[in-house]
Amino acid sequence: MDGIGRLGHDPPRGPSAVWLSGQWRARWRRRWRGCARDCKRSPSPEHARAPSTPPPRRSTARTMLNMKLKERLALALSAFLVLFTLMLIVDLQMDYGMSGHRVPLHGRVKVSDDEDKGRSAYIEFRKRFLQKSNGSNGSREYEQSAPSETSSGGEPEPRTPAPPSDKYEDLEEILHEQLQGKLEDHQVVVPPHRDLNVLRPENPTIGEMEDLEPSINASNLEKFQLRIAQHELYEEEEVLVDAVLKDMSSLPIIHAEQKEGGTQLKLIIDYPNGIQALFKPMRFARDVQTLPNHFYFSDYERHNAEIAAFHLDRILGFRRAMPVVGRVLNMTTEIYDVTEGDILKTFFVSPANNFCFHGKCSYYCDTGHAICGNPDMLEGSFAAFLPSSDLAERKVWRHPWRRSYHKRRKAQWELQSDYCDTVRTTAPYDSGRRLLDLMDMAVFDFLTGNMDRHHYETFKMFGNETFTLHLDQGRAFGKAFHDELSILAPLLQCCVLRHTTLRNLLKFHNGIPLSKYLRESMKIDPVAPILWEPHLAALDRRIVTILDAIRKCVDKTNNPLQAEVNDFV
Ligand SMILES: Nc1ncnc2c1ncn2[C@@H]1O[C@H](COP(=O)(O)OP(=O)(O)OP(=O)(O)O)[C@@H](O)[C@H]1O
Ligand SMILES: [Mn+2]
């Protein structure tokens, strides 16, 4: 991931860099050479010198040496002071995100450096959404201290949340009126007949676009890939989804190979008949959470997050994530015996007599972070492979609300409270479905706690009026007791959402809870249970925060002045 490459841009260390640089270095060399001729021998014992050496020459040399020492000290001190001041300035700039490296938006969005600089929009919406709330559900950045990094004993019991005290009838009313053809121009809730994802004037599949039909002996995955459409990966009742999941979890594995690129280890798994899957290995038990001192970009990937996110994406009605299933592998026969090349050299037997390997990648691919079986059985997630680029090339987009991927620097959206105005006037966010897709993605990521949304991808053949793929959920479901409000920044700053997404959220809030749907859906997975219960409970809690955010947006548009006053007292 390119952002990570920028880590560690620390200022030069120590004064030596300046002391020996440029003209000082040349001067120093000249002086040293001169001194070497004249002074180097001066410390030699007196008796070694020719008795004829005139005393005045010795004293001149000593004076010169003294002068040079003083000069050298003065120079070192001034260089050190200059460097120290520079370091202070650089550090300050980084802390305030003023390093001048703006986050470009596909190289097209011009972000003006307005007076907003230094005033964090994030702090602003934290204030707005956390402290000002007096609704019965109380929107807040929920932070409950976890019992420990892992659960202390046994699996917590599934909990059904108490019926909601606030049913968000004001938001239900907006949906109701929109279905009757009213509130067509609502600024926050985009009605179905204005939403290209609902209208779908055209919705061709990859097969139709490429004029391809699956052959008689085509695999389920091949059929699935040809049925991927302009507006979704698969239809609501698509039977091929379960068929693909079953294939990936049961067919023999005939080849494994490390996937190039990315930061953490992944394998491309081959099954008979050309079927492929992307494998992410299990590293920890379900209840191990993100280490408190880990940034989002140094967190480990969790295989179960990929499985859970696929189910969640489907339940929310997005259908933008490829099917993912869990499976337990025999590392000897299903990886080691069917792979070749450098990865083989990374296999070893651990002191606990478990079979381990670490592969080669830029993060966590070393003996200290090896992936170990028990003793050689290894669980992992298998994501159905996307169509090859020969069949359907993808376009990679930089996410406008991408984080800085730097331990001190901030992204533009964190500094500019009107950042959305810049985005929404820039193609492809200025028309069609794209901006609404990003809002859905923010909802999806906030629910799962995924802060690692640096890029997103679309299928090129469908142009800009197509859905955004939900790829790479490996860093989701890391903190069950913390709700990361900054993930909602796109929604909080743009205040716009699809009617259909709001309808689904309200349906779960006022009806059967989302946690229950997800728990049920994931039961069919071979490595169920997929999620630690506190992560499921977090989903129901986070829905309330999203609904609160939408309510605040609506209130603000209904009464901008009032809201403004209320927001910032
Ligand atoms: N199901 C899939 N089929 C084919 N290719 C995929 C699939 N999922 C992801 N990819 C490709 O592999 C790349 C890396 O995958 P992924 O993002 O999950 O790994 P990662 O190690 O988390 O990467 P990063 O460190 O960049 O976040 C993706 O950008 C995507 O192009
Ligand atoms: Mn990733």
Side-chain angles (χ1 to χ4, degrees):
M1 194 159 50
D2 55 0
I4 286 172
R6 278 200 255 116
L7 266 182
H9 273 201
D10 289 326
R13 276 176 218 120
S16 57
V18 169
W19 172 241
L20 287 177
S21 73
Q23 52 177 320
W24 287 118
R25 182 187 277 167
R27 221 168 126 188
W28 165 248
R29 272 209 212 99
R30 269 201 309 280
R31 276 160 189 270
W32 175 245
R33 252 186 253 121
C35 187
R37 266 199 311 275
D38 300 339
C39 336
K40 205 176 173 187
R41 285 173 206 101
S42 62
S44 347
E46 290 291 310
H47 66 261
R49 293 190 178 278
S52 59
T53 311
R57 187 184 155 97
R58 276 212 305 274
S59 70
T60 315
R62 207 172 293 127
T63 319
M64 273 177 68
L65 183 67
N66 281 345
M67 276 176 65
K68 275 168 197 142
L69 271 174
K70 270 188 210 157
E71 224 179 296
R72 265 185 270 162
L73 273 173
L75 277 174
L77 192 69
S78 48
F80 176 76
L81 283 174
V82 168
L83 191 79
F84 186 68
T85 320
L86 268 175
M87 280 171 74
L88 272 180
I89 293 169
V90 167
D91 207 47
L92 264 176
Q93 283 191 333
M94 280 175 165
D95 277 351
Y96 287 102
M98 286 155 53
S99 58
H101 300 289
R102 294 197 193 114
V103 182
L105 286 158
H106 318 298
R108 278 177 297 195
V109 173
K110 292 184 210 95
V111 181
S112 63
D113 239 351
D114 59 15
E115 66 285 352
D116 203 27
K117 211 184 216 179
R119 175 164 155 249
S120 162
Y122 172 54
I123 291 177
E124 196 180 301
F125 63 67
R126 262 172 72 106
K127 254 202 281 176
R128 192 181 305 170
F129 286 89
L130 309 185
Q131 292 158 14
K132 295 306 299 171
S133 173
N134 53 5
S136 47
N137 275 294
S139 67
R140 72 250 136 179
E141 187 158 29
Y142 191 101
E143 182 112 38
Q144 175 187 312
S145 55
S148 66
E149 252 159 46
T150 64
S151 63
S152 41
E155 184 65 19
E157 283 296 300
R159 249 180 355 99
T160 308
S165 50
D166 185 345
K167 291 182 177 289
Y168 291 89
E169 278 160 5
D170 46 343
L171 300 182
E172 292 275 18
E173 183 60 24
I174 294 172
L175 296 184
H176 182 71
E177 292 201 22
Q178 285 190 334
L179 290 182
Q180 293 179 334
K182 298 179 205 155
L183 298 180
E184 290 188 357
D185 291 322
H186 202 277
Q187 280 182 47
V188 179
V189 185
V190 177
H193 72 274
R194 299 240 164 150
D195 181 358
L196 273 171
N197 185 39
V198 178
L199 294 173
R200 303 186 179 185
E202 285 176 300
N203 194 23
T205 63
I206 291 179
E208 286 161 4
M209 295 284 286
E210 297 297 302
D211 210 8
L212 286 170
E213 297 248 336
S215 58
I216 295 173
N217 52 3
S219 67
N220 288 320
L221 180 58
E222 214 176 317
K223 291 181 197 159
F224 179 96
Q225 289 174 343
L226 289 175
R227 287 177 58 74
I228 292 174
Q230 181 176 347
H231 290 286
E232 58 189 5
L233 274 174
Y234 54 92
E235 287 180 329
E236 194 170 351
E237 301 296 334
E238 179 61 79
V239 288
L240 280 169
V241 173
D242 283 347
V244 165
L245 292 176
K246 188 157 182 292
D247 283 352
M248 291 191 297
S249 63
S250 57
L251 287 178
I253 291 170
I254 57 172
H255 190 254
E257 150 187 348
Q258 195 176 333
K259 186 173 187 327
E260 299 298 323
T263 49
Q264 296 185 39
L265 183 123
K266 299 170 288 297
L267 300 178
I268 299 175
I269 301 289
D270 285 287
Y271 306 86
N273 212 2
I275 300 173
Q276 289 190 308
L278 191 66
F279 170 83
K280 292 193 178 182
M282 169 169 168
R283 281 186 180 272
F284 313 103
R286 306 284 193 265
D287 55 3
V288 176
Q289 298 187 79
T290 301
L291 292 171
N293 288 324
H294 264 195
F295 283 98
Y296 52 94
F297 50 79
S298 42
D299 191 16
Y300 293 102
E301 301 227 308
R302 282 166 291 274
H303 75 301
N304 60 322
E306 293 281 4
I307 304 170
F310 151 66
H311 286 267
L312 181 66
D313 168 87
R314 179 165 63 167
I315 291 167
L316 291 170
F318 296 141
R319 297 189 289 280
R320 297 168 204 161
M322 284 298 272
V324 188
V325 73
R327 173 174 178 167
V328 179
L329 287 179
N330 180 319
M331 283 170 68
T332 313
T333 58
E334 294 178 303
I335 303 182
Y336 189 82
D337 288 351
V338 293
T339 192
E340 64 279 320
D342 285 351
I343 191 173
L344 283 174
K345 296 183 202 147
T346 73
F347 280 80
F348 62 96
V349 176
S350 76
N353 265 335
N354 291 321
F355 198 29
C356 307
F357 76 115
H358 57 71
K360 291 192 169 160
C361 60
S362 48
Y363 257 46
Y364 307 130
C365 279
D366 53 56
T367 318
H369 301 97
I371 291 141
C372 296
N374 183 16
D376 68 349
M377 298 307 283
L378 174 68
E379 188 180 305
S381 65
F382 294 73
F385 231 63
L386 290 156
S388 73
S389 54
D390 293 344
L391 176 60
E393 214 183 323
R394 299 191 302 276
K395 188 172 164 79
V396 181
W397 303 78
R398 204 182 166 94
H399 197 299
W401 277 270
R402 180 187 199 273
R403 288 168 197 278
S404 70
Y405 288 83
H406 189 284
K407 55 185 176 288
R408 288 188 298 263
R409 210 172 289 153
K410 279 184 176 166
Q412 197 65 31
W413 61 265
E414 292 174 275
L415 301 165
Q416 196 185 335
S417 57
D418 60 354
Y419 182 73
C420 184
D421 294 344
T422 319
V423 178
R424 72 191 333 158
T425 50
T426 307
Y429 308 103
D430 57 347
S431 67
R433 61 174 289 165
R434 186 63 58 85
L435 189 67
L436 294 176
D437 277 10
L438 291 194
M439 298 304 126
D440 286 347
M441 211 185 278
V443 165
F444 180 56
D445 289 341
F446 177 70
L447 289 173
T448 67
N450 181 12
M451 299 172 77
D452 188 29
R453 194 61 76 188
H454 42 93
H455 289 87
Y456 67 88
E457 301 183 21
T458 58
F459 288 107
K460 254 188 184 164
M461 67 172 75
F462 299 131
N464 283 350
E465 279 323 317
T466 185
F467 68 96
T468 54
L469 278 158
H470 289 171
L471 282 186
D472 188 11
Q473 275 68 242
R475 289 192 170 119
F477 295 108
K479 293 185 177 182
F481 303 99
H482 170 78
D483 303 341
E484 182 53 49
L485 200 57
S486 67
I487 305 173
L488 267 190
L491 181 62
L492 294 162
Q493 293 185 334
C494 296
C495 273
V496 66
L497 191 71
R498 291 198 153 99
H499 171 110
T500 47
T501 305
L502 176 59
R503 185 196 63 204
N504 285 339
L505 294 173
L506 279 168
K507 182 186 88 182
F508 297 121
H509 178 69
N510 289 332
I512 299 170
L514 181 56
S515 58
K516 194 155 189 233
Y517 269 103
L518 187 58
R519 194 184 294 110
E520 280 305 309
S521 175
M522 296 189 304
K523 269 186 186 161
I524 56 143
D525 193 280
V527 301
I530 303 300
L531 280 184
W532 188 37
E533 275 299 320
H535 286 301
L536 286 161
L539 292 173
D540 302 325
R541 186 178 75 224
R542 289 169 189 163
I543 282 192
V544 177
T545 307
I546 302 170
L547 292 174
D548 259 357
I550 300 163
R551 173 181 277 164
K552 298 267 177 183
C553 285
V554 172
D555 288 350
K556 199 173 143 189
T557 52
N558 286 346
N559 204 344
L561 275 179
Q562 171 101 36
E564 212 54 55
V565 170
N566 282 345
D567 281 344
F568 302 108
V569 275

